[in-house]
Amino acid sequence: MQYFRAVDLAPDPGYDNKTFTNCFKGDNWISLGEWHELPSGNYYFQINKIGGGSSGTLDVYEVTQDNTAD
């Protein structure tokens, strides 16, 4: 997964790729990714691979943003 900042009329800068390994282990398994010191703005994430492949679908139950470290 990669995190991007949406920028009008310019390419969206991407930030570190993260690999999540607990996503398919059943209920109550989570994976966490952290990005630090990002400029303010609107962000989105993009899934690059699922299970090592280049296609597939992914259902996301919850995305949480923690600002306590800011």
Side-chain angles (χ1 to χ4, degrees):
M1 184 179 103
Q2 189 172 13
Y3 207 44
F4 291 90
R5 184 168 48 94
V7 177
D8 292 337
L9 305 174
D12 294 345
Y15 301 91
D16 295 335
N17 285 306
K18 305 291 182 182
T19 300
F20 299 99
T21 56
N22 289 330
C23 298
F24 303 104
K25 293 185 177 181
D27 293 340
N28 299 319
W29 283 87
I30 62 171
S31 288
L32 301 174
E34 295 182 9
W35 288 266
H36 299 279
E37 300 179 18
L38 297 175
S40 63
N42 293 316
Y43 287 84
Y44 63 94
F45 61 86
Q46 176 177 312
I47 307 298
N48 298 319
K49 292 182 183 179
I50 298 174
S54 60
S55 65
T57 60
L58 176 68
D59 293 322
V60 176
Y61 174 73
E62 182 178 4
V63 175
T64 303
Q65 180 178 341
D66 179 0
N67 291 327
T68 58
D70 289 345

XYZ file of all heavy atoms in Angstrom:
556
model
N 0.842 -1.160 0.000
C 0.000 0.000 0.000
C 0.889 1.223 0.000
O 1.933 1.242 0.639
C -0.882 -0.014 1.243
C -1.872 1.110 1.277
S -2.904 1.029 2.735
C -2.140 2.303 3.705
N 0.478 2.241 -0.733
C 1.223 3.493 -0.734
C 0.268 4.642 -0.436
O -0.893 4.612 -0.818
C 1.914 3.716 -2.084
C 2.872 4.876 -2.057
C 3.711 4.985 -3.318
O 3.447 4.355 -4.322
N 4.732 5.802 -3.253
N 0.775 5.611 0.250
C 0.023 6.787 0.669
C 0.382 7.944 -0.258
O 1.567 8.153 -0.569
C 0.436 7.108 2.108
C -0.572 7.819 2.961
C -1.894 7.453 2.983
C -0.169 8.869 3.768
C -2.813 8.114 3.795
C -1.070 9.527 4.593
C -2.383 9.148 4.590
O -3.291 9.797 5.392
N -0.606 8.695 -0.722
C -0.389 9.812 -1.628
C -1.066 11.066 -1.095
O -2.107 10.994 -0.458
C -0.998 9.519 -3.011
C -0.286 8.450 -3.773
C -0.656 7.124 -3.643
C 0.750 8.775 -4.625
C -0.009 6.131 -4.351
C 1.403 7.787 -5.348
C 1.024 6.463 -5.211
N -0.481 12.217 -1.402
C -1.110 13.502 -1.103
C -1.706 14.029 -2.404
O -1.025 14.116 -3.423
C -0.103 14.496 -0.539
C -0.733 15.822 -0.130
C 0.223 16.695 0.687
N 1.541 16.828 0.131
C 1.932 17.821 -0.667
N 1.090 18.775 -0.998
N 3.161 17.852 -1.113
N -2.978 14.371 -2.375
C -3.660 14.897 -3.564
C -3.241 16.343 -3.792
O -3.374 17.182 -2.909
C -5.172 14.800 -3.379
N -2.703 16.615 -4.983
C -2.249 17.955 -5.337
C -2.959 18.357 -6.630
O -2.898 17.632 -7.626
C -0.719 17.988 -5.542
C -0.265 19.359 -5.992
C 0.002 17.555 -4.274
N -3.622 19.493 -6.617
C -4.313 19.981 -7.817
C -3.303 20.376 -8.892
O -2.304 21.038 -8.613
C -5.186 21.191 -7.489
C -6.376 20.818 -6.612
O -6.777 19.635 -6.615
O -6.890 21.710 -5.915
N -3.574 19.967 -10.121
C -2.799 20.361 -11.301
C -1.315 20.011 -11.219
O -0.460 20.716 -11.759
C -2.972 21.862 -11.571
C -4.421 22.343 -11.724
C -4.472 23.845 -11.838
C -5.083 21.682 -12.923
N -0.993 18.927 -10.514
C 0.394 18.461 -10.408
C 0.362 16.975 -10.057
O -0.648 16.475 -9.575
C 1.129 19.239 -9.317
N 1.462 16.279 -10.305
C 1.502 14.867 -9.889
C 1.364 14.742 -8.367
O 1.884 15.577 -7.619
C 2.887 14.403 -10.337
C 3.304 15.381 -11.392
C 2.658 16.682 -11.021
N 0.652 13.721 -7.915
C 0.474 13.491 -6.476
C 1.727 12.828 -5.911
O 2.106 11.747 -6.355
C -0.743 12.596 -6.222
C -2.042 13.265 -6.610
O -2.047 14.488 -6.810
O -3.054 12.552 -6.706
N 2.386 13.468 -4.942
C 3.573 12.845 -4.358
C 3.193 11.617 -3.533
O 2.199 11.626 -2.808
C 4.175 13.944 -3.477
C 3.073 14.909 -3.231
C 2.108 14.780 -4.370
N 3.984 10.558 -3.682
C 3.754 9.336 -2.920
C 4.730 9.230 -1.769
O 5.845 9.755 -1.820
N 4.313 8.551 -0.725
C 5.137 8.350 0.467
C 5.270 6.851 0.698
O 4.427 6.074 0.261
C 4.505 9.062 1.668
C 4.349 10.545 1.424
C 3.187 11.059 0.872
C 5.401 11.413 1.683
C 3.061 12.417 0.605
C 5.275 12.776 1.420
C 4.107 13.267 0.880
O 3.990 14.602 0.613
N 6.302 6.437 1.404
C 6.673 5.037 1.634
C 5.603 3.999 1.315
O 4.449 4.148 1.685
C 7.058 4.836 3.100
C 8.292 5.608 3.487
O 9.111 5.907 2.609
O 8.429 5.916 4.680
N 6.037 2.915 0.684
C 5.197 1.724 0.512
C 5.204 0.931 1.809
O 6.254 0.798 2.442
C 5.731 0.830 -0.607
C 5.444 1.382 -1.967
O 4.306 1.678 -2.286
N 6.474 1.522 -2.785
N 4.078 0.418 2.210
C 3.970 -0.425 3.409
C 3.421 -1.785 3.005
O 2.590 -1.891 2.104
C 3.028 0.200 4.447
C 3.367 1.608 4.857
C 4.637 1.687 5.658
C 4.890 3.134 6.083
N 6.093 3.315 6.809
N 3.878 -2.822 3.675
C 3.375 -4.176 3.450
C 2.609 -4.612 4.690
O 3.130 -4.526 5.801
C 4.542 -5.152 3.184
O 5.243 -4.706 2.024
C 4.028 -6.562 2.965
N 1.388 -5.071 4.487
C 0.533 -5.510 5.583
C 0.361 -7.018 5.473
O -0.001 -7.535 4.422
C -0.818 -4.794 5.517
C -0.669 -3.300 5.635
C -0.674 -2.487 4.522
C -0.504 -2.721 6.877
C -0.522 -1.121 4.631
C -0.352 -1.350 7.002
C -0.359 -0.555 5.880
N 0.618 -7.735 6.573
C 0.644 -9.194 6.520
C -0.485 -9.861 7.291
O -0.676 -11.059 7.155
C 1.985 -9.712 7.071
O 2.158 -9.204 8.398
C 3.141 -9.246 6.200
N -1.223 -9.137 8.111
C -2.265 -9.755 8.931
C -3.664 -9.606 8.344
O -4.642 -9.954 8.983
C -2.267 -9.160 10.338
C -1.060 -9.585 11.123
O -0.539 -10.665 10.911
N -0.600 -8.755 12.018
N -3.776 -9.108 7.152
C -5.081 -8.754 6.590
C -5.993 -9.950 6.334
O -7.197 -9.806 6.309
C -4.890 -7.993 5.289
S -4.000 -6.441 5.505
N -5.453 -11.111 6.107
C -6.267 -12.241 5.668
C -6.287 -13.377 6.686
O -6.520 -14.520 6.341
C -5.759 -12.743 4.315
C -5.762 -11.656 3.280
C -4.578 -11.040 2.905
C -6.942 -11.219 2.712
C -4.581 -10.024 1.960
C -6.958 -10.198 1.765
C -5.766 -9.609 1.401
N -6.058 -13.070 7.949
C -5.997 -14.099 8.980
C -7.297 -14.259 9.747
O -7.339 -14.976 10.722
C -4.856 -13.804 9.949
C -3.497 -13.928 9.311
C -2.396 -13.758 10.325
C -1.051 -13.960 9.685
N 0.041 -13.830 10.654
N -8.355 -13.590 9.338
C -9.634 -13.736 10.026
C -9.958 -12.544 10.897
O -9.307 -11.513 10.861
N -10.977 -12.708 11.726
C -11.452 -11.624 12.581
C -10.393 -11.194 13.590
O -9.612 -11.989 14.085
C -12.709 -12.065 13.339
C -13.886 -12.290 12.409
O -13.855 -11.764 11.285
O -14.820 -13.008 12.796
N -10.406 -9.915 13.902
C -9.586 -9.312 14.949
C -8.102 -9.270 14.640
O -7.295 -9.073 15.533
C -9.824 -9.998 16.304
C -11.268 -9.872 16.747
O -11.875 -8.828 16.591
N -11.820 -10.953 17.254
N -7.711 -9.485 13.407
C -6.313 -9.316 13.011
C -6.198 -7.967 12.320
O -7.012 -7.615 11.475
C -5.869 -10.426 12.060
C -5.593 -11.703 12.765
C -6.495 -12.668 13.069
C -4.357 -12.143 13.285
N -5.885 -13.693 13.733
C -4.570 -13.401 13.885
C -3.073 -11.610 13.308
C -3.547 -14.118 14.485
C -2.058 -12.334 13.910
C -2.299 -13.563 14.491
N -5.198 -7.210 12.678
C -5.015 -5.897 12.063
C -3.569 -5.749 11.597
O -2.677 -6.454 12.048
C -5.365 -4.744 13.031
C -4.438 -4.765 14.249
C -6.814 -4.788 13.436
C -4.573 -3.544 15.129
N -3.373 -4.850 10.678
C -2.037 -4.442 10.259
C -1.973 -2.928 10.386
O -2.957 -2.235 10.136
C -1.774 -4.847 8.810
O -1.602 -6.228 8.692
N -0.827 -2.435 10.777
C -0.673 -1.001 10.980
C 0.436 -0.465 10.085
O 1.447 -1.124 9.879
C -0.309 -0.706 12.434
C -1.291 -1.182 13.500
C -0.714 -0.953 14.886
C -2.620 -0.480 13.350
N 0.235 0.733 9.569
C 1.264 1.440 8.827
C 1.361 2.842 9.382
O 0.355 3.435 9.769
N 2.556 3.362 9.438
C 2.741 4.700 9.986
C 3.527 5.556 9.010
O 4.509 5.102 8.426
C 3.502 4.642 11.307
C 2.762 3.942 12.412
C 3.530 3.936 13.720
O 4.570 4.631 13.814
O 3.101 3.248 14.639
N 3.057 6.762 8.816
C 3.762 7.768 8.036
C 3.918 8.969 8.952
O 2.983 9.375 9.620
C 2.957 8.147 6.798
C 2.934 7.085 5.746
C 3.786 6.983 4.685
C 2.021 5.989 5.635
N 3.455 5.896 3.928
C 2.371 5.262 4.483
C 0.942 5.538 6.387
C 1.692 4.131 4.070
C 0.268 4.413 5.982
C 0.649 3.727 4.831
N 5.107 9.536 8.998
C 5.390 10.630 9.926
C 5.785 11.896 9.173
O 6.336 11.829 8.082
C 6.536 10.242 10.875
C 6.222 9.049 11.708
N 5.471 9.121 12.849
C 6.530 7.738 11.548
C 5.346 7.916 13.371
N 5.981 7.058 12.595
N 5.533 13.046 9.817
C 5.962 14.365 9.354
C 5.512 14.655 7.924
O 6.281 15.136 7.092
C 7.472 14.506 9.494
C 7.930 14.358 10.941
C 9.432 14.468 11.098
O 10.109 14.986 10.189
O 9.924 14.033 12.141
N 4.256 14.371 7.639
C 3.701 14.659 6.320
C 3.156 16.079 6.289
O 2.630 16.572 7.284
C 2.565 13.678 6.003
C 2.963 12.211 5.920
C 1.728 11.350 5.728
C 3.961 11.979 4.816
N 3.278 16.747 5.144
C 2.696 18.089 5.053
C 1.179 18.013 5.113
O 0.582 16.979 4.814
C 3.170 18.597 3.686
C 3.595 17.401 2.927
C 3.949 16.345 3.913
N 0.539 19.103 5.497
C -0.917 19.104 5.564
C -1.496 18.960 4.164
O -0.855 19.292 3.170
C -1.430 20.372 6.229
O -1.077 21.492 5.449
N -2.701 18.440 4.095
C -3.358 18.265 2.809
C -4.335 17.115 2.835
O -4.599 16.529 3.889
N -4.858 16.777 1.675
C -5.764 15.644 1.523
C -4.970 14.454 1.010
O -4.183 14.588 0.066
C -6.885 15.988 0.543
C -7.790 17.061 1.086
O -8.174 17.030 2.247
N -8.137 18.025 0.259
N -5.208 13.300 1.626
C -4.446 12.093 1.301
C -5.367 10.956 0.894
O -6.543 10.932 1.238
C -3.628 11.651 2.522
C -2.452 12.554 2.800
C -2.605 13.720 3.528
C -1.196 12.234 2.315
C -1.531 14.558 3.769
C -0.111 13.054 2.556
C -0.283 14.211 3.282
O 0.781 15.033 3.516
N -4.803 10.002 0.175
C -5.497 8.759 -0.170
C -4.464 7.647 -0.225
O -3.256 7.910 -0.306
C -6.242 8.892 -1.506
C -5.374 9.148 -2.707
C -4.918 8.088 -3.501
C -5.009 10.443 -3.064
C -4.126 8.322 -4.614
C -4.225 10.681 -4.170
C -3.783 9.621 -4.944
O -3.000 9.847 -6.042
N -4.913 6.410 -0.133
C -3.978 5.306 -0.279
C -4.352 4.453 -1.474
O -5.479 4.443 -1.933
C -3.867 4.462 0.996
C -5.129 3.796 1.450
C -5.500 2.563 0.952
C -5.928 4.397 2.406
C -6.650 1.934 1.385
C -7.080 3.783 2.855
C -7.434 2.545 2.339
N -3.333 3.758 -1.990
C -3.504 2.903 -3.160
C -2.940 1.528 -2.839
O -1.828 1.408 -2.339
C -2.760 3.499 -4.349
C -2.779 2.652 -5.591
C -2.079 3.349 -6.740
O -2.338 4.502 -7.012
N -1.181 2.650 -7.383
N -3.715 0.495 -3.131
C -3.275 -0.881 -2.944
C -2.522 -1.300 -4.203
O -3.072 -1.241 -5.307
C -4.477 -1.825 -2.712
C -5.359 -1.316 -1.573
C -4.016 -3.249 -2.498
C -4.704 -1.226 -0.233
N -1.262 -1.699 -4.061
C -0.443 -2.072 -5.207
C -0.516 -3.558 -5.529
O -0.506 -3.939 -6.690
C 1.008 -1.671 -4.971
C 1.140 -0.167 -4.800
O 0.512 0.605 -5.503
N 1.938 0.254 -3.847
N -0.540 -4.403 -4.518
C -0.600 -5.852 -4.716
C -1.435 -6.464 -3.608
O -1.416 -5.996 -2.477
C 0.785 -6.491 -4.664
C 1.687 -6.147 -5.792
C 3.009 -6.887 -5.655
C 3.959 -6.496 -6.766
N 5.235 -7.200 -6.611
N -2.137 -7.546 -3.928
C -2.883 -8.296 -2.926
C -2.417 -9.739 -3.000
O -2.520 -10.366 -4.058
C -4.407 -8.199 -3.160
C -4.867 -6.752 -3.039
C -5.155 -9.085 -2.164
C -6.322 -6.536 -3.382
N -1.891 -10.252 -1.906
C -1.412 -11.631 -1.872
C -0.307 -11.907 -2.869
O -0.203 -13.004 -3.390
N 0.536 -10.925 -3.176
C 1.636 -11.092 -4.105
C 1.260 -10.910 -5.557
O 2.116 -10.853 -6.419
N -0.038 -10.831 -5.858
C -0.491 -10.652 -7.237
C -0.716 -9.196 -7.571
O -0.589 -8.316 -6.737
N -1.054 -8.950 -8.826
C -1.253 -7.578 -9.260
C -2.724 -7.215 -9.416
O -3.049 -6.138 -9.871
C -0.532 -7.347 -10.591
O -1.040 -8.224 -11.567
N -3.628 -8.128 -9.053
C -5.046 -7.812 -9.152
C -5.803 -8.480 -8.020
O -5.263 -9.303 -7.299
C -5.611 -8.278 -10.494
O -5.558 -9.686 -10.576
N -7.051 -8.130 -7.887
C -7.888 -8.690 -6.836
C -8.737 -7.601 -6.228
O -8.709 -6.456 -6.662
N -9.500 -7.960 -5.229
C -10.317 -6.977 -4.542
C -9.997 -7.007 -3.059
O -9.504 -7.997 -2.533
C -11.819 -7.265 -4.742
O -12.118 -8.551 -4.213
C -12.196 -7.198 -6.206
N -10.308 -5.927 -2.406
C -10.032 -5.802 -0.982
C -11.170 -5.034 -0.346
O -11.551 -3.963 -0.826
C -8.713 -5.042 -0.765
C -8.323 -4.754 0.673
C -7.981 -6.054 1.390
C -7.147 -3.807 0.708
N -11.739 -5.583 0.710
C -12.740 -4.884 1.503
C -12.047 -4.321 2.735
O -11.382 -5.052 3.460
C -13.859 -5.834 1.952
C -14.688 -6.319 0.780
O -14.933 -5.528 -0.139
O -15.079 -7.492 0.786
N -12.201 -3.040 2.968
C -11.596 -2.386 4.128
C -12.702 -2.109 5.125
O -13.666 -1.411 4.820
C -10.887 -1.078 3.725
C -10.353 -0.370 4.950
C -9.796 -1.360 2.716
N -12.566 -2.664 6.322
C -13.567 -2.498 7.357
C -13.436 -1.131 8.023
O -14.412 -0.458 8.298
C -13.445 -3.616 8.379
C -14.351 -3.462 9.566
C -15.712 -3.686 9.451
C -13.863 -3.067 10.792
C -16.566 -3.534 10.533
C -14.688 -2.896 11.879
C -16.034 -3.138 11.747
O -16.864 -2.971 12.827
N -12.210 -0.737 8.294
C -12.017 0.520 9.029
C -10.640 1.098 8.728
O -9.661 0.370 8.630
C -12.122 0.253 10.527
C -11.981 1.474 11.391
C -12.151 1.174 12.870
O -12.313 -0.003 13.245
O -12.122 2.121 13.640
N -10.578 2.403 8.583
C -9.324 3.143 8.484
C -9.371 4.171 9.593
O -10.317 4.932 9.711
C -9.176 3.831 7.121
C -7.925 4.692 7.103
C -9.152 2.817 5.993
N -8.344 4.180 10.425
C -8.283 5.100 11.561
C -7.052 5.979 11.447
O -5.982 5.506 11.102
C -8.221 4.307 12.882
O -9.353 3.440 12.950
C -8.229 5.226 14.072
N -7.209 7.249 11.738
C -6.094 8.178 11.739
C -5.788 8.557 13.164
O -6.656 9.017 13.902
C -6.447 9.419 10.924
C -5.342 10.434 10.883
C -5.708 11.620 10.019
O -6.598 11.560 9.181
N -5.016 12.723 10.219
N -4.536 8.378 13.560
C -4.087 8.703 14.920
C -3.162 9.917 14.837
O -2.076 9.835 14.283
C -3.355 7.506 15.508
C -2.831 7.775 16.910
O -3.034 8.891 17.440
O -2.193 6.870 17.464
N -3.602 11.028 15.386
C -2.802 12.245 15.372
C -2.080 12.510 16.697
O -1.527 13.573 16.883
C -3.672 13.458 15.042
C -4.148 13.432 13.609
O -3.440 12.959 12.741
N -5.334 13.930 13.386
N -2.079 11.563 17.592
C -1.515 11.810 18.919
C 0.000 12.002 18.878
O 0.556 12.618 19.776
C -1.862 10.667 19.895
O -1.366 9.434 19.362
C -3.351 10.584 20.101
N 0.685 11.493 17.847
C 2.127 11.630 17.760
C 2.549 12.930 17.100
O 3.721 13.249 17.056
C 2.724 10.449 16.998
N 1.606 13.699 16.571
C 1.942 14.948 15.876
C 2.466 15.981 16.825
O 2.147 16.101 17.937
C 0.721 15.505 15.138
C 0.373 14.640 13.928
O 1.225 13.832 13.533
O -0.736 14.808 13.407
